[in-house]
Amino acid sequence: MSTRTAPVLDVDALLDDRSTEIIVCCGSGGVGKTTTSAALALRAAERGRKVVVLTIDPARRLAQSMGIEQLDNTPRPVPSVDAAAGGSLDAMMLDMKRTFDEVVESQASPEKAKQILENPFYVALSSSFAGTQEYMAMEKLGQLHRQALADGSYDLIVVDTPPSRSALDFLDSPERLSSFLDGRLIRLLLAPTRGPVRLVSAGFSVITGALTKVLGGPMLRDVQTFVAALDTLFGSFRQRAEQTFALLQADGTAFVVVAAPEPDALREAAYFVDRLTEDEMPLAGLVVNRVSPSARTSLSAEEAISAADRLRAGDSSSLAAGLLQLHADRVRILERERHLRDRFVASHPQVPTAVIPAMPGDVHDLDGLRVIGARLAQQD
Ligand SMILES: Nc1ncnc2c1ncn2[C@@H]1O[C@H](COP(=O)(O)OP(=O)(O)OP(=O)(O)O)[C@@H](O)[C@H]1O
Ligand SMILES: [Mg+2]
């Protein structure tokens, strides 16, 4: 029934290749991006690379076992990593607001930075604008990369991406942030200070009227101060986004697209793969996570059901019939996953793929990550 099989993603070859400098794990929400990035980082470190992993919102227990519960926006050594091969692992959890503050501080004069950072509108924007987290993950990647180049502290950066519905949000975020920052709302807010354009002013007063109602007068003045101050930073935001984008397109970068064997997640993965091609970003491959373990028998779902029916005809409470039914259900799930993956392979036959089986429990410690890493590397 199976049509084509995808080429296998050779994870160890990817991790051992010294020219791999950045690995970005993308995918839609909840598919296992954080787990995969932590597992790849740990495996790379234990195979001798000097690794830093940037995680976003890891589950509490995972953060605990990696020693990154503190949110201080700097990488810390992960305890209990096997350094026998000469590698090391630092980890950090992204602090979005702090990263945003750091950009402002590095770009504006101390006075202006203070003015921006203390503005209530900034506080709201920096922690709630849709896409800020994605943008700040990129910003932090840029920072880590500059640090790695300057002092040789790392030779591999593994990046997790935020839990967005669509994996594309990550790549779209610089564009969205900059078009928001110099977008229409902001032009309107700035308009009165830029001469008497009647039409704009009319629109503006309607908007300010509405905003004043909602936010109150002082808040609105804040928005204007904020926007005026931020205006000088527009250029640098855009420039930084462009630099990071170039970094993502560089040869040393490898995107790993993570998906669950579900229609939505695989559809997102397909979009993402196409987008990477379009943006000329290097794709390492696809990881299909939480694949159901194979049934260790060739008994088909149909055979199991008809056997169960025969048993139930004699004994309606037959335990064996119940087990056969269970087997049939499991085989159907496997067939469905197989079918979904075949469909992906049919439309994207060149994408190297690795599979991680669903583990019996959550993955929340280094041993769990090691198992995931080992399974990733041993595809049969
Ligand atoms: N192969 C697996 N087997 C069992 N549990 C897994 C597996 N992979 C991930 N998990 C568990 O699934 C949950 C979600 O995983 P994870 O946090 O890595 O997903 P995510 O893509 O980062 O999610 P989000 O989009 O919310 O950031 C975690 O509790 C994790 O321990
Ligand atoms: Mg996550």
Side-chain angles (χ1 to χ4, degrees):
M1 194 194 92
S2 174
T3 43
R4 267 179 281 196
T5 41
V8 172
L9 170 62
D10 187 340
V11 167
D12 282 345
L14 175 72
L15 300 179
D16 292 348
D17 181 352
R18 296 276 157 170
S19 67
T20 309
E21 292 173 356
I22 296 174
I23 296 178
V24 187
C25 295
C26 296
S28 46
V31 292
K33 298 177 293 294
T34 305
T35 308
T36 305
S37 43
L40 288 174
L42 178 62
R43 189 166 180 90
E46 295 191 333
R47 294 175 71 84
R49 303 287 307 262
K50 291 193 284 179
V51 188
V52 59
V53 57
L54 169 60
T55 66
I56 323 261
D57 274 344
R60 177 113 194 284
R61 285 175 73 189
L62 182 65
Q64 257 167 355
S65 52
M66 295 182 80
I68 48 171
E69 284 174 286
Q70 276 171 307
L71 205 65
D72 60 0
N73 229 18
T74 37
R76 305 255 163 237
V78 176
S80 316
V81 172
D82 178 1
S88 62
L89 177 61
D90 283 6
M92 66 167 286
M93 177 161 43
L94 179 74
D95 182 337
M96 178 177 76
K97 168 124 183 24
R98 189 118 162 202
T99 306
F100 210 146
D101 293 357
E102 285 166 9
V103 176
V104 174
E105 279 161 357
S106 69
Q107 297 302 312
S109 66
E111 252 164 279
K112 202 150 219 167
K114 190 164 178 289
Q115 207 184 0
I116 296 177
L117 296 180
E118 286 173 357
N119 188 295
F121 187 67
Y122 171 77
V123 177
L125 170 85
S126 59
S127 48
S128 67
F129 168 67
T132 317
Q133 204 173 24
E134 281 84 0
Y135 181 82
M136 290 307 145
M138 275 204 196
E139 175 59 40
K140 197 73 209 180
L141 164 64
Q143 282 177 18
L144 289 172
H145 189 250
R146 282 190 293 276
Q147 184 192 337
L149 284 184
D151 63 10
S153 42
Y154 307 116
D155 60 31
L156 175 65
I157 307 174
V158 182
V159 191
D160 177 19
T161 50
S164 55
R165 194 189 52 77
S166 163
L168 295 176
D169 289 352
F170 181 68
L171 292 180
D172 289 336
S173 65
E175 185 52 40
R176 259 206 274 159
L177 186 65
S178 54
S179 61
F180 173 81
L181 289 177
D182 59 3
R184 281 194 61 212
L185 173 67
I186 284 180
R187 280 206 302 276
L188 281 175
L189 288 169
L190 285 173
T193 63
R194 284 186 180 163
V197 184
R198 272 198 151 266
L199 203 63
V200 175
S201 298
F204 178 73
S205 64
V206 173
I207 290 180
T208 36
L211 281 177
T212 313
K213 255 193 225 128
V214 180
L215 304 171
M219 177 66 182
L220 187 63
R221 269 201 301 283
D222 283 329
V223 176
Q224 282 169 278
T225 329
F226 168 69
V227 165
L230 210 61
D231 199 26
T232 55
L233 290 181
F234 286 171
S236 60
F237 268 110
R238 169 142 314 126
Q239 215 181 357
R240 295 170 84 81
E242 276 164 12
Q243 277 168 5
T244 314
F245 229 71
L247 194 59
L248 293 177
Q249 288 171 321
D251 286 340
T253 300
F255 278 87
V256 170
V257 180
V258 186
E262 301 285 341
D264 290 353
L266 279 168
R267 195 177 322 113
E268 276 297 324
Y271 288 151
F272 197 80
V273 165
D274 295 342
R275 172 67 185 276
L276 288 177
T277 316
E278 220 172 89
D279 285 354
E280 292 170 16
M281 291 187 175
L283 170 71
L286 171 75
V287 166
V288 186
N289 185 27
R290 301 188 97 152
V291 168
S292 304
S294 68
R296 291 191 190 83
T297 149
S298 59
L299 185 66
S300 75
E302 290 69 28
E303 285 167 333
I305 297 237
S306 68
D309 287 346
R310 281 199 301 279
L311 284 169
R312 281 203 193 95
D315 169 10
S316 63
S317 65
S318 165
L319 182 64
L323 286 172
L324 283 162
Q325 183 69 53
L326 213 59
H327 174 76
D329 292 347
R330 181 145 159 222
V331 169
R332 290 216 163 113
I333 291 175
L334 284 168
E335 283 172 359
R336 185 169 157 266
E337 288 181 3
R338 182 75 249 165
H339 171 71
L340 288 168
R341 286 182 50 205
D342 282 348
R343 217 164 54 181
F344 184 93
V345 175
S347 62
H348 298 83
Q350 315 298 348
V351 178
T353 302
V355 164
I356 309 175
M359 301 294 161
D362 267 2
V363 184
H364 51 71
D365 56 15
L366 293 200
D367 284 339
L369 292 176
R370 280 189 192 104
V371 172
I372 297 272
R375 298 303 295 259
L376 261 173
Q378 279 150 28
Q379 301 290 311
D380 30 50

